[in-house]
Amino acid sequence: MSTTLIRGATILAMGGEHGSTPFAGDLLVEGNRIAAIGPGLGDRPGARQIDGRGRLVMPGLVNAHTHSGETFFRGRYERLPLELWLLYAYPLLMGPLLPPRLLYLRTLLLAMESLKGGVTLLCDDFFDPPRHDLDRLGTVFRAYEDAGIRANVSSAVMNIHPLDAIAYGRETMPVALQARLDFGAPISSAAYIDYCRSAFAAFQDKAGRLRFMIAPSAPQRCTPYLMQACDELARQWRVPFHTHILETKTQAVTGRLFHGKSLIRYLHDLGLLHSGVTIAHSVWVSDEDIALMGAAGCSVAHNAVSNLKLGAGIAPLRRLLDAGVTVGLGTDGVCSNDTARIFDVMRTAALVQSATGPDHERWVTAAEILKAATLGGARTAHLGEITGSLEVGKRADLIMLRLDSLAFTPLNDIVRQLVYAENGASIERVMVEGEIVVDGGRLTRINEAAVLAEIREAMPALMAEHAEIETRNAIFHPHFEAIHRRATAEEVGMDRYAGTRG
Ligand SMILES: [Zn+2]
């Protein structure tokens, strides 16, 4: 068993007795676990020594919600709300399947950017329409395995037609265009559950880094029967039931129109709101929703940057935290965030809350944001027992940052500077499962230059193809635009846009 001793570092444990107070100490890693942590651990003969002086050692960051399928669309769009952006990022009229090699590289690119940005665990809600294919899912898992990152991966599912999953869909879309969206029957619940069983058997690796999670896309996109069948599996396997709820105002209007209640209340009434549930977004949640979520003990993956990019609004973070909801931070896909950097999400999430109201004592603190980016995120991934903080017995998932960098000079407050000043540039080493996967700022398992060159080489043809797909789908644009304008003009009794009522 390999042993590594980090000596004389500043340690920010984010759990255990030290909490989020930095202290001077050593950290011993034996195999894939943290064996000891504290001041002056003494000599460990045979251990590899790492000089921690002038370095901060802290838990790896957690990206609680992303979609690897968007990784090639960095910087491709702007000024599009979700309902219009989806039309291009997830086209209704699809092109050919991405070839396996590009599928691998696309996932690898996300893993590479994540690790170099200090993310040791990501939750990839992998969506590969229209298929659920074990080979393709296996390719995604293989990319994460090769990069050495910890990952929860789903095979996201929906079985309601897109026009039946949005307010005013059928009545707005012209009949002639609706005919072009007739794709036949979606996957049956039974077939999807069978598929999940095979995926779980093939890829779940509790001893290692990779896990499968269950992800029905959203309550308005899945039948109650499918949601309940997913929930049963998730409970049985103790894996996250990971879904999207109330990202946009249009979705808030959709829930009320379809069910006469909010989508959170709808989920609750189906018996599907509980501590195993992780909700991406929850921007347009009412006070009643927040109370239900708190009582259920569910988790939220808060995607501050994506919510701003798509104009979704600002999630009521303070009220969610007050209610006892477990909060993690996510980038969402790279197409709605443009990076995989959780440091950016931390800074944005912290800053934007102060635009929600003048009561400054209710603005979030850097320590709360840092917790969400580490232990909170790990809990949303149901991995809080093994990662997310530096504690004896937990897996050794950690990052080392230089404290002589610009972001920490002068050093006033490590936690605040991590949130408000650091951008990942101070990261020197990243360890996952006791293995150093970034050293001196370089990935140890991947030939970065070769991978990036191969991706650049393949992009012109792929993006030309995607541009044609965008053109084909643009025929639906005015109609989704009309839906967006109509729904966002509705009164829903709350506002989540900055500069208006908080
Ligand atoms: Zn998402």
Side-chain angles (χ1 to χ4, degrees), residues 88-414:
Y88 304 105
Y90 294 89
L92 291 170
L93 303 177
M94 292 171 210
L97 272 183
L98 191 69
R101 177 67 186 167
L102 287 176
L103 174 64
Y104 175 79
L105 291 171
R106 188 176 72 180
T107 317
L108 194 61
L109 183 62
L110 178 67
M112 290 163 65
E113 190 187 5
S114 299
L115 285 173
K116 292 189 79 172
V119 170
T120 53
L121 160 62
L122 62 79
C123 299
D124 179 6
D125 187 20
F126 173 59
F127 184 53
D128 192 35
R131 314 215 311 164
H132 293 279
D133 180 304
L134 277 186
D135 281 347
R136 292 178 67 81
L137 185 61
T139 299
V140 170
F141 273 104
R142 187 161 53 83
Y144 293 135
E145 185 172 11
D146 291 351
I149 199 167
R150 188 182 300 287
N152 280 2
V153 184
S154 73
S155 187
V157 68
M158 55 183 74
N159 69 345
I160 289 180
H161 192 283
L163 290 178
D164 296 317
I166 188 168
Y168 319 128
R170 289 286 172 195
E171 63 188 86
T172 308
M173 192 62 66
V175 172
L177 290 186
Q178 291 194 34
R180 300 191 56 178
L181 296 175
D182 184 4
F183 306 122
I187 188 169
S188 73
S189 297
Y192 179 69
I193 295 303
D194 273 353
Y195 174 77
C196 286
R197 286 187 201 284
S198 306
F200 188 79
F203 306 121
Q204 180 80 354
D205 177 20
K206 279 186 85 166
R209 304 173 204 204
L210 304 178
R211 283 169 174 77
F212 184 67
M213 62 179 186
I214 308 275
S217 177
Q220 73 278 17
R221 298 177 190 141
C222 300
T223 57
Y225 184 80
L226 175 60
M227 299 279 284
Q228 276 158 340
C230 286
D231 185 59
E232 221 166 275
L233 272 193
R235 285 176 191 253
Q236 185 188 334
W237 293 338
R238 299 173 184 280
V239 300
F241 177 99
H242 189 104
T243 190
H244 296 79
I245 305 186
L246 292 173
E247 177 175 359
T248 65
K249 187 171 180 189
T250 298
Q251 292 174 3
V253 170
T254 298
R256 286 161 195 230
L257 191 69
F258 289 5
H259 307 294
K261 52 188 160 189
S262 111
L263 289 169
I264 292 286
R265 166 60 80 184
Y266 171 71
L267 203 71
H268 171 270
D269 291 353
L270 286 174
L272 300 178
L273 193 67
H274 54 76
S275 61
V277 176
T278 299
I279 295 169
H281 307 300
S282 86
V283 175
W284 290 84
V285 286
S286 67
D287 288 346
E288 190 209 358
D289 293 335
I290 294 169
L292 289 173
M293 292 163 74
C298 71
S299 299
V300 162
H302 173 50
N303 308 289
V305 173
S306 170
N307 291 159
L308 293 177
K309 180 88 195 275
L310 299 179
I314 303 172
L317 207 52
R318 169 58 63 212
R319 278 181 276 162
L320 289 166
L321 289 168
D322 281 353
V325 172
T326 301
V327 175
L329 298 183
T331 54
D332 215 348
V334 164
C335 185
S336 67
N337 186 301
D338 299 291
T339 79
R341 288 195 298 268
I342 285 294
F343 271 115
D344 292 0
V345 179
M346 288 159 62
R347 184 167 195 238
T348 305
L351 293 175
V352 77
Q353 288 297 317
S354 55
T356 58
D359 187 356
H360 59 94
E361 289 180 350
R362 291 181 55 76
W363 297 350
V364 295
T365 65
E368 287 172 318
I369 292 294
L370 195 60
K371 185 179 174 193
T374 53
L375 187 56
R379 287 178 176 151
T380 71
H382 293 202
L383 295 174
E385 297 301 312
I386 68 160
T387 188
S389 60
L390 303 181
E391 296 179 70
V392 172
K394 279 194 164 183
R395 308 287 178 94
D397 294 354
L398 57 86
I399 60 181
M400 284 182 78
L401 296 96
R402 297 186 65 100
L403 289 173
D404 59 2
S405 62
L406 286 168
F408 295 103
T409 306
L411 186 57
N412 287 302
D413 183 298
I414 283 180

